[in-house]
Amino acid sequence: MAKGDGEKMSRKQEGIPGGLRSRSWKRFLKGPDSSLLEELYVPGLSVAIRYDRCCSYFSSTVLAAAARGFAGLIERLEAMGDCAPRPAVRLVVNEVLAEEDIQAMLESGDLTALERELKKRFKKPKDILEKQRLEMLAWLVKKGFLAIRVGVMRRGKGIVHAKFGIITDAVGDSVVFSGSGNESASGLIANYERLEVSTSWNDQDRYEEYTNEFEALWKDGHPDVHTVTLPEALRLQIIKFAPPEAPIIEPSNAEARQRAAMVWQFISEAPYLERGATACDATAMVELWPHQRRVVSETADAWPAGRLLCDEVGMGKTIEAICVVRRLLAGRGVVRVLFLLPAAIVKQWQMELREKGGIIAPRLEGQTALIWPNERIERIEGLEAALKSDILLMSRETARTENNLPILMQAEPWDLLVLDESHAARRKKQVEGEFNSGTLLLNLIRRLQLKGRAKGFLLLSATPMQTHPWEPWDLLTVLGEGGAWLAEFNDVRQYYEAIAALRAGRLDGELAKKAAELLAADAHVPPFRGAEGGEISQKSLTWKLTSAPISKRVEIADWMRCASPLGRRMHRNTRDTLREYYRMGKLSAPPPHRDIEDILYDYVESGERRVYDSIKSYIDRRFAELETEKPGKGFVMTIYRRRASSSPHALEKSLERRLDGLQRVVARKAYDFEVAEDEKVDSRDGADAGIGEDSERISAAYPTDPKIAQAESVEVQRLLGDLKGLHGADSKRDKFYEVLRRVTDDGRAVLIFTEYVDTMEHVRDNLLAYYGKFLGCYSGDGGQLWDGTCWKRVTKDAITTKLKNGDIKVMVCTDAASEGLNLQAAGAVINYDLPWNPSKVEQRIGRIDRIGQSLPNIKVVNFFLKDSW
C-alpha cells in the first residue's frame, strides 16, 4: 500500500473535523418535522457532498419533504464551486401507471402517460414552508446539482414504496436512514415519523445493502423497478420556483412560525365571517380615508350592480377599485376579473394591485406573452389562451380592435370588468341624438354587457363629462340603466333644471310634472325620507314638488339628485372632502390652494408676427380648399395651426414632413397617407372635432395631382425659409424662461406640459444647459434622464422616485404623464400649450394636486398667444 493510500484510509477511519463521524447518531428517531431536522437532516446535510434519496410519489409536497436540511448542503456545494459533484443529490420518486402504459415505456420509451400523471401531481405549494423548501430543491436542479428519476413497477402492479436515504461526506463516510417518513401535505407540519439510522463505519452490511439498492434503481438495473429520467417539461416546471440567489437559510417550522400561520389562517377566513368584509380593507397595504371606505363598502355590497368611480384626480380612485376587488374576490361571488386599461398604465396598475392590494395578476403584452409582476414571462398561444386567466390586465387598445372583439365575446364570462379612464368610451360623434354611434371602446363594453359576458362593471374616471353633459349617462347604459331616463337626453336636462328651479323657489307645474314622470317610472328610486310607504305616483310627486314648503326645498332637491340613476350609481368625491377632513382634524393641513396664472404673450420681434401671419394665411386657405373637396379633409391643417401655437420647432417639423410628402407626390413615389405619430390627436379631441376615432388615422391630405403638389411645395419651402430666417428667435420660449425662474424660485419642482413630443424635446434641450441632471422628461415612450452625455430611458418608478428625492427639479412632459403617474412631489404645473379638451388640463394639474401634496399652495401657469386663432 502506498503511503498516500494509507493516510487516506487513516483519515477515513478517524473521520474529518466537522464530518459525519464528528457526532454520534441516534439509532432510532421519531417525532415531528423540527426534531428530525435537528437530529438528522440539518447536521447530516451540512457536512455532506452527496445525498441519495428514495422518496414517495412525485409531487411538490414530496419534493419539499426531500429538501429538508438543504440549506447547509447548498452553502457547502456553492463553496466548492467547480469541484462540487454533479449531481450531488439524486432523488428516486415513484409513480403508478397502467400496465399498457408501462409496456409502451419499456418497448418504445414513450413517456407520454408518465408525463401526464406527473403533471397532475405537481401542484402549487400549499404553504410558505413547502414553498421555501421547494425553492431550495429548484435552485439545485437549476444549477445541475440535483437530478430526479421516476420509478414504476415493471409488471404494472404495486408501487416503489421503499423510503430511505444515504448522506455521504467528503471522505466517503455515510449515514443511512430508512422508515416511515411522512411525505404527505400535512406531514410537513405536524407529522409523526419513525426512522432507523445507521452509519457506514458501524454497520457496513446495512450501508452496502441500501447503497446497492439505490444504485440499481438509479441505473435502471433493478429487477422489479424501471426508472427513467424526469421528463424535461417537469424539470423546467420545477426550475420556475428557483430563486435568483442561493437559499442558504433553512426554513423552519418553529413555534413563532406556527403562531403566525394561525394568525394568517384567521385573516384568510375572516372575510367569510359576518361583517368580515372589513378584514379585507384592514389587511390591505394602504390605509383608507373615510370617503374611500364608504365607496368601497357601498360598491362591493352593490355587486353585480355596477358603479362609476368618479372622484376627482388624486382622490384615490385606483385604491378604491383595488379594495373593492379584494372584497369581491374574498368569497363574495367574484373569481374572474378583467382589467381594461390605457396601454401606458397597464404595468402601473399591475404594480399597484400587488403593492396596495396583494393581488398577483399577469398583464398581457402583445398576443403571445403574459408578464407577471416579477417580470417572469409566460408564453401563450394567443389572446384566447390569455383570456383563460382568472385575473388579467390588458390594454383597452388591444381589446377594442375588430379582430379581437370576437375572441373576447367567446371567452368565459367575467364576474367583474374594471375599466380605467372610462371617459374614452364615448359617442363617435358628439351630437345629442347620436346615442348609438359609439367609439370602438364604448361598443365593446356595451356588447359585453348586452351579451352577458361580464356580470358587473366598475368604470373609473375623474372626468366622466369631457365636453358634453350626456357623456356620463352614456356610461350608465353599460351599467344596465335605460328606460325613460335615456329615451331623450332633453328629459334629463329638464330634470336637473327642475332641481335648480326647486332650490330657487321657481319650479313651475310643467317642469315638475316631467321630473315626476321620470321618478315614477323608475322602480329603483329610493323613498323620500319621512314619506309614507306605498307606490310613488307621478301625481303625488308633482304635488310634492310644486307645493314644497321653503324649509323642505333644499332637502327635496338633494333627494332628487340622489334618486336619479347618476346619483345612485356614481361616487364622486372632490377636494371639498379633504377640506372637511381638515375641519374634522383628520388632516394636519388643508388641501393646497391653486394659484392660477394666465400668461398672455406676444411676439417681441415683428419678424415673428409676419412669419406667423404668413403661416396662418397658408393654413386657413388650404383648410378651406380641402374642406371644399371633402368635409373633414382639412383637419390636418388644424393640427398645423395648433403646432404653430405650440412652438416654432413643432411647426418646422410638421412643414418639413409635409414638404417631403409633397415632393414624393411630385416624383410619383410612395408616401404616407396619414399624418406622423406626433401629429395625431387624442380620440377625445377627435370626437369633439367631429372626426371620432378617425383621429388615429388622420389623412395627410396631400394633393394627388403632381402639379398642385409642386405649387404647394414651393409655398411650404418659402414658409420654412421664413422660419429658419428667424435664427432661433422665440418670444414664447423667452417668456417661459422668465416664468420658470419665478415659479421655481422657492425651490419647488415643476412639471411642464405640452401636447407634442417635438415641443417637449425643443423645451427640454433648451433647458439642458441650465438644469443638466436635474432635468427629466416623460412622453408616450416613457421617461428619460440626462446622464451627462445623452438621454437615457428610465422607468416610471425611477422618474417618481427621483422627483420625490429632489433629484429632478424640472420635468417636461406630454399628456402621457397626465394619466397614471403620481407626481405630487412637484409643486407647479406650466401648460406650455393647452389641449382642446379642458378635462385634460384638469388631469395635468391632478398629477400634483392630489392626496400626499405637502405644499399649502400649488402654482398653475397657462400660456396663451395674443391674437391667435
Side-chain angles (χ1 to χ4, degrees):
M1 179 184 298
K3 180 179 179 182
D5 292 338
E7 289 178 353
K8 184 176 180 181
M9 180 64 72
S10 176
R11 287 187 65 207
K12 185 170 181 179
Q13 289 172 345
E14 297 174 2
I16 59 173
L20 291 172
R21 291 200 191 207
S22 64
R23 66 172 290 148
S24 59
W25 301 90
K26 292 182 179 179
R27 180 73 174 180
F28 300 102
L29 293 176
K30 59 183 178 180
D33 182 87
S34 57
S35 298
L36 297 178
L37 277 172
E38 295 168 5
E39 297 290 341
L40 175 63
Y41 298 122
V42 170
L45 293 175
S46 64
V47 298
I49 63 167
R50 294 193 68 94
Y51 181 35
D52 294 331
R53 179 77 183 265
C54 186
C55 309
S56 180
Y57 289 109
F58 175 85
S59 70
S60 56
T61 301
V62 168
L63 294 178
R68 289 178 289 189
F70 270 18
L73 176 64
I74 290 172
E75 188 170 17
R76 189 174 184 83
L77 292 174
E78 250 212 324
M80 295 175 69
D82 293 338
C83 296
R86 282 179 167 81
V89 181
R90 299 184 296 177
L91 301 183
V92 174
V93 297
N94 79 77
E95 188 50 77
V96 179
L97 294 179
E99 192 168 349
E100 58 269 23
D101 291 330
I102 293 178
Q103 195 67 27
M105 283 178 59
L106 293 172
E107 293 178 358
S108 64
D110 184 0
L111 302 181
T112 303
L114 176 64
E115 186 171 326
R116 183 180 62 248
E117 293 302 316
L118 294 177
K119 283 183 176 180
K120 287 181 183 178
R121 291 191 185 276
F122 194 76
K123 306 292 186 182
K124 183 178 179 181
K126 295 180 180 179
D127 58 49
I128 188 65
L129 181 62
E130 183 178 322
K131 178 177 179 293
Q132 288 176 335
R133 285 181 174 166
L134 191 60
E135 286 175 350
M136 302 173 86
L137 184 141
W139 185 88
L140 287 167
V141 172
K142 183 178 179 180
K143 296 296 182 179
F145 288 126
L146 188 149
I148 301 173
R149 290 182 68 85
V150 185
V152 296
M153 301 302 292
R154 292 184 183 274
R155 289 179 294 278
K157 295 180 180 179
I159 62 172
V160 183
H161 199 270
K163 297 177 185 178
F164 64 89
I166 306 165
I167 301 171
T168 305
D169 66 15
V171 297
D173 286 331
S174 299
V175 169
V176 180
F177 62 89
S178 64
S180 62
N182 187 344
E183 295 166 347
S184 65
S186 60
L188 277 176
I189 298 174
N191 50 7
Y192 175 79
E193 301 182 59
R194 186 175 180 88
L195 300 177
E196 182 177 358
V197 181
S198 64
T199 65
S200 59
W201 58 93
N202 286 330
D203 193 339
Q204 184 71 16
D205 290 343
R206 190 168 188 265
Y207 162 72
E208 291 180 357
E209 173 69 21
Y210 280 105
T211 299
N212 294 336
E213 178 83 1
F214 188 86
E215 291 299 329
L217 290 169
W218 190 257
K219 295 176 181 178
D220 193 26
H222 199 284
D224 301 314
V225 181
H226 173 51
T227 63
V228 295
T229 301
L230 183 72
E232 181 65 8
L234 274 299
R235 191 183 76 87
L236 294 175
Q237 194 168 344
I238 292 172
I239 288 176
K240 288 181 180 180
F241 289 93
E245 302 295 331
I248 58 174
I249 298 176
E250 184 66 36
S252 70
N253 199 33
E255 183 178 348
R257 178 185 292 275
Q258 294 184 40
R259 287 181 180 275
M262 292 172 64
V263 171
W264 281 108
Q265 182 73 17
F266 174 77
I267 290 173
S268 67
E269 295 181 2
Y272 299 88
L273 304 177
E274 185 178 358
R275 301 186 66 179
T278 53
C280 296
D281 304 340
T283 54
M285 282 72 88
V286 63
E287 183 73 24
L288 294 180
W289 289 92
H291 74 275
Q292 292 175 315
R293 286 198 288 270
R294 288 195 299 271
V295 171
V296 170
S297 178
E298 195 282 331
T299 302
D301 289 347
W303 181 86
R307 290 293 183 265
L308 298 174
L309 302 189
C310 299
D311 290 354
E312 283 186 345
V313 177
M315 293 289 290
K317 292 181 301 301
T318 302
I319 291 173
E320 290 170 355
I322 289 172
C323 287
V324 168
V325 173
R326 278 176 59 85
R327 283 195 178 203
L328 294 176
L329 287 173
R332 283 169 173 74
V334 169
V335 174
R336 285 176 50 78
V337 184
L338 177 63
F339 293 86
L340 294 183
L341 313 163
I345 60 174
V346 172
K347 186 175 180 180
Q348 178 171 329
W349 258 90
Q350 185 183 43
M351 294 301 103
E352 298 247 358
L353 280 168
R354 182 187 67 176
E355 293 167 5
K356 293 183 171 63
I359 298 172
I360 308 297
R363 68 180 191 271
L364 176 66
E365 284 198 2
Q367 300 274 335
T368 59
L370 292 178
I371 313 297
W372 292 84
N374 62 358
E375 295 303 316
R376 177 172 66 84
I377 300 175
E378 179 183 340
R379 296 296 175 188
I380 55 173
E381 294 182 357
L383 179 58
E384 185 177 357
L387 295 173
K388 293 179 181 179
S389 305
D390 281 342
I391 306 177
L392 178 67
L393 296 89
M394 66 183 296
S395 75
R396 65 192 189 199
E397 290 82 357
T398 298
R400 72 188 184 189
T401 63
E402 293 181 2
N403 290 337
N404 288 337
L405 179 60
I407 302 175
L408 262 78
M409 297 304 296
Q410 292 168 10
E412 182 183 344
W414 301 92
D415 299 311
L416 181 66
L417 187 148
V418 180
L419 178 67
D420 197 10
E421 307 295 350
S422 59
H423 45 256
R426 315 173 74 200
R427 298 184 184 188
K428 193 170 185 179
K429 295 181 180 178
Q430 290 302 315
V431 178
E432 185 166 324
E434 291 287 335
F435 172 79
N436 292 318
S437 63
T439 60
L440 290 174
L441 183 59
L442 180 58
N443 288 339
L444 166 65
I445 57 176
R446 279 177 170 175
R447 287 192 63 180
L448 289 169
Q449 187 267 331
L450 288 171
K451 299 294 184 179
R453 310 315 293 172
K455 190 180 294 185
F457 290 82
L458 203 53
L459 309 181
L460 282 65
S461 174
T463 52
M465 189 184 81
Q466 297 283 292
T467 53
H468 300 283
W470 52 76
E471 291 173 302
W473 289 82
D474 288 348
L475 293 176
L476 287 176
T477 64
V478 179
L479 305 187
E481 292 291 346
W485 288 103
L486 295 174
E488 293 287 343
F489 187 74
N490 191 52
D491 293 341
V492 174
R493 182 183 289 109
Q494 290 183 331
Y495 181 81
Y496 285 95
E497 289 174 357
I499 293 176
L502 177 60
R503 285 180 177 275
R506 299 193 304 270
L507 181 60
D508 61 49
E510 187 61 27
L511 207 55
K513 180 180 178 182
K514 289 181 178 179
E517 285 177 356
L518 290 175
L519 292 168
D522 188 344
H524 300 290
V525 169
F528 179 69
R529 188 171 58 187
E532 298 295 330
E535 295 184 2
I536 300 177
S537 68
Q538 177 192 332
K539 184 176 180 180
S540 64
L541 279 172
T542 303
W543 180 85
K544 180 182 288 292
L545 297 179
T546 53
S547 62
I550 296 176
S551 61
K552 288 286 187 179
R553 287 173 185 168
V554 171
E555 187 178 356
I556 295 174
D558 288 343
W559 169 76
M560 289 178 67
R561 186 173 293 277
C562 295
S564 74
L566 198 62
R568 300 195 306 263
R569 295 280 200 153
M570 182 177 76
H571 288 287
R572 183 162 178 84
N573 291 284
T574 67
R575 276 160 184 75
D576 287 340
T577 304
L578 298 182
R579 295 184 184 94
E580 183 62 26
Y581 288 165
Y582 174 65
R583 285 192 289 270
M584 296 167 61
K586 294 182 179 295
L587 281 177
S588 59
H593 178 266
R594 293 183 181 182
D595 295 333
I596 300 175
E597 180 182 6
D598 293 333
I599 301 293
L600 186 65
Y601 71 95
D602 199 358
Y603 295 118
V604 175
E605 301 289 338
S606 59
E608 284 186 271
R609 174 57 71 178
R610 282 197 303 272
V611 171
Y612 180 83
D613 289 343
S614 178
I615 291 169
K616 177 179 181 296
S617 176
Y618 159 73
I619 291 173
D620 289 347
R621 178 175 53 78
R622 284 299 289 147
F623 177 82
E625 292 170 352
L626 292 169
E627 286 296 301
T628 300
E629 293 178 22
K630 181 182 178 182
K633 191 175 181 181
F635 186 78
V636 64
M637 290 297 152
T638 68
I639 295 174
Y640 294 163
R641 181 183 300 160
R642 294 172 68 184
R643 288 172 68 84
S645 297
S646 179
S647 70
H649 180 74
L651 176 62
E652 183 177 336
K653 289 293 185 182
S654 286
L655 291 178
E656 287 175 348
R657 287 189 282 261
R658 186 158 190 85
L659 178 60
D660 179 70
L662 291 167
Q663 290 176 338
R664 285 180 170 276
V665 174
V666 172
R668 301 181 187 277
K669 294 181 179 179
Y671 59 89
D672 290 330
F673 289 92
E674 298 176 6
V675 297
E677 190 65 32
D678 195 38
E679 294 171 351
K680 293 180 179 179
V681 300
D682 187 285
S683 60
R684 290 171 282 168
D685 292 343
D688 295 330
I691 63 170
E693 287 180 305
D694 292 335
S695 58
E696 298 180 6
R697 301 183 300 275
I698 298 171
S699 170
Y702 292 120
T704 55
D705 187 333
K707 291 182 179 179
I708 298 175
Q710 176 62 32
E712 186 178 345
S713 70
V714 171
E715 185 173 12
V716 173
Q717 282 179 309
R718 178 182 61 80
L719 293 172
L720 279 168
D722 292 343
L723 269 175
K724 294 180 188 297
L726 294 174
H727 303 294
D730 187 349
S731 297
K732 180 179 185 179
R733 178 199 60 204
D734 297 341
K735 183 66 175 178
F736 162 72
Y737 286 164
E738 174 190 323
V739 172
L740 179 61
R741 285 192 293 271
R742 175 165 50 82
V743 167
T744 59
D745 62 3
D746 60 358
R748 71 181 64 209
V750 62
L751 309 181
I752 302 159
F753 275 100
T754 173
E755 287 199 280
Y756 305 111
V757 173
D758 288 333
T759 297
M760 181 197 78
E761 292 175 347
H762 170 67
V763 173
R764 176 195 73 182
D765 294 344
N766 275 281
L767 293 173
L768 184 58
Y770 185 78
Y771 287 98
K773 292 184 178 181
F774 292 98
L775 181 66
C777 67
Y778 195 93
S779 67
D781 291 330
Q784 288 183 307
L785 294 174
W786 182 256
D787 71 350
T789 58
C790 62
W791 290 99
K792 295 287 189 181
R793 295 199 183 282
V794 296
T795 63
K796 283 182 179 181
D797 288 342
I799 288 287
T800 54
T801 299
K802 284 187 173 292
L803 188 66
K804 183 177 180 180
N805 293 340
D807 297 327
I808 295 178
K809 296 297 184 183
V810 175
M811 192 161 85
V812 191
C813 319
T814 67
D815 285 304
S818 68
E819 293 185 346
L821 280 178
N822 301 322
L823 304 173
Q824 58 266 43
V829 166
I830 297 178
N831 289 309
Y832 200 81
D833 53 40
L834 290 162
W836 265 333
N837 193 319
S839 67
K840 291 171 72 174
V841 178
E842 177 58 31
Q843 286 183 312
R844 291 177 175 183
I845 300 170
R847 293 309 98 204
I848 66 171
D849 190 3
R850 58 197 304 112
I851 293 175
Q853 175 57 256
S854 60
L855 293 173
N857 71 308
I858 58 173
K859 300 177 182 180
V860 180
V861 181
N862 304 312
F863 273 82
F864 296 91
L865 173 61
K866 184 178 181 181
D867 298 329
S868 60
W869 286 282

